[in-house]
Amino acid sequence: MKIPEAKFITSRANLKTRIEPALPEIAFGGRSNVGKSSLINSLLNRRKLALVSKKPGKTQLLNYFQIDDYFYFVDLPGYGFARVSKAMRQNWGKLVEGYLRESSELRGVIVILDSRRGAREEDRELLKWLQNYERPFIIVLTKIDKLRPSEQRTILPRLRQELQPFNATAILTYSASKNHGRDDLWEAIYRLLKK
Ligand SMILES: Nc1nc2c(ncn2[C@@H]2O[C@H](COP(=O)(O)OP(=O)(O)OP(=O)(O)O)[C@@H](O)[C@H]2O)c(=O)[nH]1
Ligand SMILES: [Mg+2]
């Protein structure tokens, strides 16, 4: 599959500012440090487009990347990072929830889960929330390179089964470090954009 061109456009700290031109948006959400920014880089075959860090809490704003002239990827700040202050957590909630609820350009959300850990409480909250608001979403089980092949055979089917009730558009596996699953995820993203 041909990888489209991508460029960083802007970071959004609140929802008052508008993004021009208005284009369809695909957002990437999940726990802090789960690999959202790495997934964006892998999809676009770029090493440092979205900033990656071993320390959780790297992405704190809504970061917009324009993909060709056609749509945006939106890298969302992660949740579940205990060391940030309460005020910051509240701000996260306001910014991300407000965005997910109100954005008229949002076509779908990629919810990223660590394949070693599955969906924890906050992940389930996000999934339920998206279901309630009827936002289409794809679940990506990432970092599968960290599972042994034998673990992949047991853990991944169990996770899929556990996640079935959330009615995701698709449940896919991924490794950002090996670009495993890239074509399948691109196909699923294009399906969301065509809806
Ligand atoms: N082995 C492996 N490591 C990964 C993978 N994806 C991400 N990582 C590592 O996980 C760490 C966190 O990755 P990020 O992409 O910064 O995670 P994030 O979800 O954007 O984190 P925040 O911006 O803090 O919310 C980095 O050290 C990455 O190199 C993967 O598929 N395999
Ligand atoms: Mg990030």
Side-chain angles (χ1 to χ4, degrees):
M1 179 173 284
K2 188 179 169 290
I3 306 281
E5 291 295 319
K7 60 176 188 248
F8 173 73
I9 297 291
T10 190
S11 291
R12 215 173 162 193
N14 61 63
L15 301 174
K16 282 174 239 150
T17 51
R18 290 193 149 278
I19 305 297
E20 299 285 347
L23 293 171
E25 296 176 6
I26 298 285
F28 292 74
R31 174 172 295 279
S32 191
N33 216 35
V34 73
K36 297 175 294 297
S37 302
S38 303
L39 181 66
I40 290 178
N41 288 337
S42 164
L43 279 170
L44 297 166
N45 209 17
R46 297 273 296 270
R47 275 161 46 99
K48 293 182 182 165
L49 185 65
L51 296 183
V52 168
S53 167
K54 283 200 169 59
K55 270 197 291 185
K58 181 75 187 168
T59 309
Q60 301 199 349
L61 303 166
L62 308 181
N63 290 323
Y64 277 70
F65 301 92
Q66 187 175 336
I67 314 301
D68 284 342
D69 297 324
Y70 181 37
F71 60 99
Y72 295 117
F73 276 173
V74 185
D75 190 5
L76 300 175
Y79 47 81
F81 175 41
R83 277 213 308 258
V84 300
S85 67
K86 200 170 164 206
M88 254 179 73
R89 274 207 295 275
Q90 280 170 348
N91 188 48
W92 180 93
K94 260 200 267 173
L95 185 62
V96 176
E97 271 195 49
Y99 169 75
L100 293 175
R101 192 168 44 228
E102 287 159 29
S103 171
S104 48
E105 308 303 331
L106 182 63
R107 294 294 184 273
V109 182
I110 317 288
V111 178
I112 301 146
L113 303 178
D114 189 320
S115 57
R116 297 167 300 176
R117 300 200 172 85
R120 295 199 269 179
E121 188 52 37
E122 284 144 310
D123 302 313
R124 290 176 181 282
E125 272 170 33
L126 174 63
L127 293 169
K128 269 189 260 171
W129 196 93
L130 291 170
Q131 226 181 349
N132 285 341
Y133 281 89
E134 296 182 354
R135 288 292 197 191
F137 58 92
I138 298 167
I139 298 176
V140 171
L141 305 170
T142 196
K143 302 193 187 181
I144 63 156
D145 57 285
K146 296 212 175 188
L147 293 175
R148 286 193 295 269
S150 62
E151 291 176 315
Q152 290 189 16
R153 283 193 298 273
T154 53
I155 291 174
L156 297 178
R158 199 164 64 216
L159 265 181
R160 279 176 186 281
Q161 203 175 15
E162 199 182 298
L163 296 166
Q164 217 61 55
F166 291 104
N167 285 326
T169 307
I171 303 176
L172 303 172
T173 54
Y174 210 92
S175 163
S177 51
K178 297 199 156 49
N179 296 330
H180 162 95
R182 186 160 66 186
D183 285 358
D184 288 344
L185 182 52
W186 268 120
E187 270 176 34
I189 290 171
Y190 282 119
R191 277 202 300 276
L192 281 183
L193 288 166
K194 277 191 198 119
K195 270 193 184 153

